[in-house]
Amino acid sequence: MWQRFYQAWLKKRLKDPEYGFLFEPPEDDAVVCFDCETTGLDPKRDSIISLSAIKIRGADILTSESLNLTFQPQQTVEGDSIVIHRLRNMDLSEGLAPQEAARRFLQFIGSRPLIGYYLEFDVAMVNRLIKPLLGIPLPNTQTDIAELYSDLFYQPWFQPEHEVFDLSFQGIRTRLELPGLGQHDAFNDALMTAMMYVKLRHLQETKHTSATRSSTT
């Protein structure tokens, strides 16, 4: 009920009717996993330098239907960021203007649900770009991998007091027994997150099926 009310509230405040498709039923049953690489970790001050998004349909990760964008830097990319993302200022010189990149991203995701790892940060970064276009933040429903993982594996009554429940990207990957992809960039991180999502959904379905069988026996 709250989600429907919020969607209706956002739709009334949509500044550009060209983006009304964000409130239409999704074109298909796919979801979109995306990841941003940024100049830093402050959504109010830093900017996106690259973004990748990949569609997932059921258990299929559609790498052939991915979006990969580089952005013209809005500020100098510093050494620490270059070490992490391996993107230099010269690498970004041919990137898209932020508003054009935002348009392409919105066209790609449509009204599909969004998936990500600590998605709140990436969504905050994207919202800085799209609010001038739309007048509103992203209206898409959002699922965070860390929350899915926590719902499945966190058992406080069995958790030793001295142990911290590991929600790190590598911790989740290791627990799910997924292979590492090497280079840290937006596409590989989006792909890895998509693999986590598919595995977690499979585990959810298995758990639900087992619980249903137990309740009927």
Side-chain angles (χ1 to χ4, degrees):
M1 176 66 74
W2 163 248
Q3 184 64 32
R4 288 200 300 269
F5 174 81
Y6 181 60
Q7 290 273 322
W9 184 83
L10 288 176
K11 188 174 182 179
K12 287 182 179 179
R13 285 155 181 79
L14 181 65
K15 185 165 70 173
D16 187 343
E18 176 186 348
Y19 295 97
F21 63 84
L22 294 170
F23 296 93
E24 298 296 327
E27 295 180 7
D28 49 40
D29 59 354
V31 299
V32 176
C33 184
F34 84 98
D35 181 81
C36 298
E37 301 299 334
T38 64
T39 57
L41 299 176
D42 185 344
K44 295 180 179 179
R45 181 174 61 87
D46 291 303
S47 56
I48 300 173
I49 55 176
S50 66
L51 180 154
S52 288
I54 302 172
K55 293 179 183 177
I56 307 169
R57 186 171 293 114
D60 296 324
I61 300 171
L62 308 177
T63 53
S64 62
E65 297 185 34
S66 62
L67 177 75
N68 298 286
L69 304 173
T70 55
F71 293 61
Q72 293 174 1
Q74 302 303 293
Q75 60 200 91
T76 301
V77 181
E78 303 293 343
D80 290 346
S81 180
I82 293 172
V83 169
I84 294 171
H85 309 309
R86 301 181 186 179
L87 288 172
R88 302 162 298 175
N89 290 283
M90 67 178 69
D91 300 322
L92 302 169
S93 61
E94 300 298 323
L96 296 170
Q99 293 301 301
E100 175 59 24
R103 291 187 185 94
R104 294 193 189 190
F105 176 68
L106 292 171
Q107 291 289 340
F108 182 82
I109 66 173
S111 58
R112 299 178 182 90
L114 300 177
I115 312 297
Y117 173 72
Y118 283 116
L119 189 58
E120 182 179 357
F121 173 77
D122 288 329
V123 168
M125 297 299 295
V126 169
N127 280 340
R128 278 184 57 199
L129 296 181
I130 70 165
K131 280 186 176 179
L133 288 174
L134 308 184
I136 59 171
L138 281 171
N140 308 60
T141 58
Q142 299 160 23
T143 299
D144 195 296
I145 290 298
E147 293 179 6
L148 275 183
Y149 177 79
S150 183
D151 289 344
L152 271 172
F153 289 104
Y154 183 54
Q155 298 177 314
W157 49 91
F158 292 128
Q159 186 78 13
E161 291 185 9
H162 64 280
E163 285 189 12
V164 176
F165 186 62
D166 189 358
L167 285 172
S168 68
F169 196 75
Q170 294 305 325
I172 295 174
R173 180 188 68 78
T174 300
R175 181 70 179 271
L176 295 178
E177 299 180 335
L178 295 170
L181 297 179
Q183 183 174 335
H184 171 69
D185 58 32
F187 179 78
N188 278 335
D189 285 355
L191 179 56
M192 188 79 256
T193 304
M195 293 167 64
M196 292 176 180
Y197 174 76
V198 169
K199 183 72 174 284
L200 287 168
R201 286 299 303 271
H202 172 72
L203 292 173
Q204 276 185 327
E205 291 168 4
T206 301
K207 182 178 180 180
H208 176 73
T209 300
S210 298
T212 302
R213 287 175 179 171
S214 297
S215 66
T216 57
T217 56

